[in-house]
């Protein structure tokens, strides 16, 4: 952190932007943050060992606007970068935390809307929908004045099953009372955001939800969401689902069981779409054992919370594996 940036203290919100070789889209991302109608924020850009001009671009914003801060670290992964940003935000005295990926964009009213929703509702987490774009951003509508409160355990159920709430950290605002570097830097490289949110949501007394697309999620071939998943990703995603199932209260257990079984079926389909799945032999065998053993289990394959499409996919995985692999390869083109 530069000497000049330390003069800007006690921001209401710290916006954490982890970046690794993101110069292509980073200026758009930082421009959207600078254009927020809510002005009392610090933007902490954490350069995670970039070899391109990402850090230099951040330096330019820091030189022009004291609210922008650039941190540099050896490449340690996105979770460690976010944790470093939170530590810096804590040192500045931030009272709330938000996150933005370096290739995405905020709606101009994103921070204002979520801050007002959190404050008016008394909740420690506020959330909104997101939309996806490839070229120009979708038409932006103003944030609604009405806030929906997701009370426990409905907020945890929404985290697991409602794609409007989603697993991501980036469409949410968190109170500094909840947020810690440790909850972010959880040792995972995949599903690290879901794992962090599960622990954050479990300690929150609900979530304030706004039904508007406040976060614009860019789709492009180099994004993490489009890269082929290595075997360790399959392991970590399954471990996350196991953790959630094991740490679910009785009120949310049925939902967590359904999430766990759906994750097994989903990960199996991810492997089956691969051109050469042999590197995943251990993972696919473990997944198939779990899917087969749970097929008639009322807590898993016959869980009433399980979508019909997942039940059909599980049945096909067990009874017609060769045909099901052809279906997966035909219909599921991404992440190969």
């Amino acid at each position: 952190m530069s000497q000049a940036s330390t003069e800007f203290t006690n921001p209401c919100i710290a916006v954490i932007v982890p970046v690794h070789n993101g110069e292509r889209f980073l200026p758009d991302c930082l421009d959207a943050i600078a254009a927020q109608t809510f002005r009392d924020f610090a933007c902490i850009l954490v350069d995670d060992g970039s070899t391109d001009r990402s850090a230099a671009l951040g330096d330019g914003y820091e030189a022009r606007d004291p609210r922008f801060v650039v941190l540099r670290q050896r490449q340690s992964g996105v979770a460690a970068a976010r944790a470093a940003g939170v530590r810096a935000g804590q040192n500045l005295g931030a009272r709330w935390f938000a996150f933005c990926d370096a290739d995405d964009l905020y709606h101009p009213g994103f921070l204002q809307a979520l801050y007002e929703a959190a404050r008016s509702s008394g909740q420690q987490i506020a959330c909104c929908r997101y939309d996806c774009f490839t070229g120009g951003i979708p038409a932006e509508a103003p944030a609604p004045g009405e806030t929906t409160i997701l009370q426990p355990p409905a907020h945890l159920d929404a985290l697991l099953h409602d794609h409007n709430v989603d697993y991501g950290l980036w469409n949410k605002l968190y109170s500094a009372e909840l947020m810690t570097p440790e909850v972010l830097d959880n040792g995972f490289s995949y599903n690290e955001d879901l794992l962090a949110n599960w622990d954050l949501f479990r300690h929150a007394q609900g979530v304030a939800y706004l039904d508007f697309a406040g976060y614009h999620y860019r789709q492009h071939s180099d994004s993490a969401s489009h890269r082929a998943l290595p075997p360790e990703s399959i392991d970590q995603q399954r471990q996350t689902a196991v953790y959630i199932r094991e740490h679910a209260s009785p009120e949310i257990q049925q939902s967590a069981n359904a999430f766990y079984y759906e994750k097994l079926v989903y990960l199996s389909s991810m492997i089956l779409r691969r051109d050469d799945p042999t590197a995943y032999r251990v993972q696919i065998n473990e997944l198939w054992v779990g899917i087969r053993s749970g097929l008639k289990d009322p807590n898993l394959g016959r869980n009433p919370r399980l979508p019909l499409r997942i039940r059909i996919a599980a049945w096909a995985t067990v009874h017609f594996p060769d045909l099901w692999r052809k279906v997966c390869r035909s219909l599921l083109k991404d992440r190969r």
Side-chain angles (χ1 to χ4, degrees), residues 65-81:
D65 188 333
R67 298 175 302 171
F68 283 77
V69 174
V70 179
L71 302 182
R72 291 172 172 81
Q73 66 178 30
R74 292 182 179 179
Q75 186 177 358
S76 304
V78 66

Side-chain angles (χ1 to χ4, degrees), residues 261 265 291 295 309-319 324:
Y261 197 70
V265 176
I291 294 169
L295 198 60
R309 59 183 173 78
I310 300 300
R311 297 187 191 196
I312 294 172
W315 185 84
T317 300
V318 170
H319 294 289
W324 183 240

Side-chain angles (χ1 to χ4, degrees), residues 17-86:
V17 182
V19 59
H20 175 72
N21 292 344
E23 66 174 342
R24 179 181 174 192
F25 300 116
L26 183 59
D28 289 344
C29 171
L30 298 182
D31 283 347
I33 294 172
Q36 289 294 292
T37 57
F38 188 91
R39 308 299 294 169
D40 187 9
F41 70 85
C43 178
I44 302 171
L45 175 70
V46 184
D47 182 71
D48 187 43
S50 295
T51 57
D52 65 0
R53 296 180 59 252
S54 294
L57 289 170
D59 289 340
Y61 284 82
E62 185 178 37
R64 297 190 298 270
D65 188 333
R67 298 175 302 171
F68 283 77
V69 174
V70 179
L71 302 182
R72 291 172 172 81
Q73 66 178 30
R74 292 182 179 179
Q75 186 177 358
S76 304
V78 66
R82 290 181 182 132
V86 166

Side-chain angles (χ1 to χ4, degrees), residues 151-179:
Q151 301 284 359
H155 70 314
L156 287 167
D157 185 76
L159 175 66
L160 297 181
H161 300 289
D162 187 345
H163 291 295
N164 288 324
V165 174
D166 199 75
Y167 308 161
L169 293 157
W170 26 253
N171 63 330
K172 301 173 181 71
L173 181 71
Y174 304 88
S175 168
E177 297 171 350
L178 276 181
M179 181 58 63

Side-chain angles (χ1 to χ4, degrees), residues 16 79-90 94-97 99 169 174-186 192 195-197 199-200 203:
I16 313 302
R82 290 181 182 132
V86 166
R87 281 190 289 270
Q90 290 173 333
R95 301 186 295 281
W96 295 86
F97 285 93
F99 299 87
L169 293 157
Y174 304 88
S175 168
E177 297 171 350
L178 276 181
M179 181 58 63
T180 68
E182 292 75 21
V183 78
L184 295 174
D185 197 4
N186 48 37
E192 80 292 336
L195 186 57
N197 266 321
D199 284 333
L200 290 165
H203 290 94

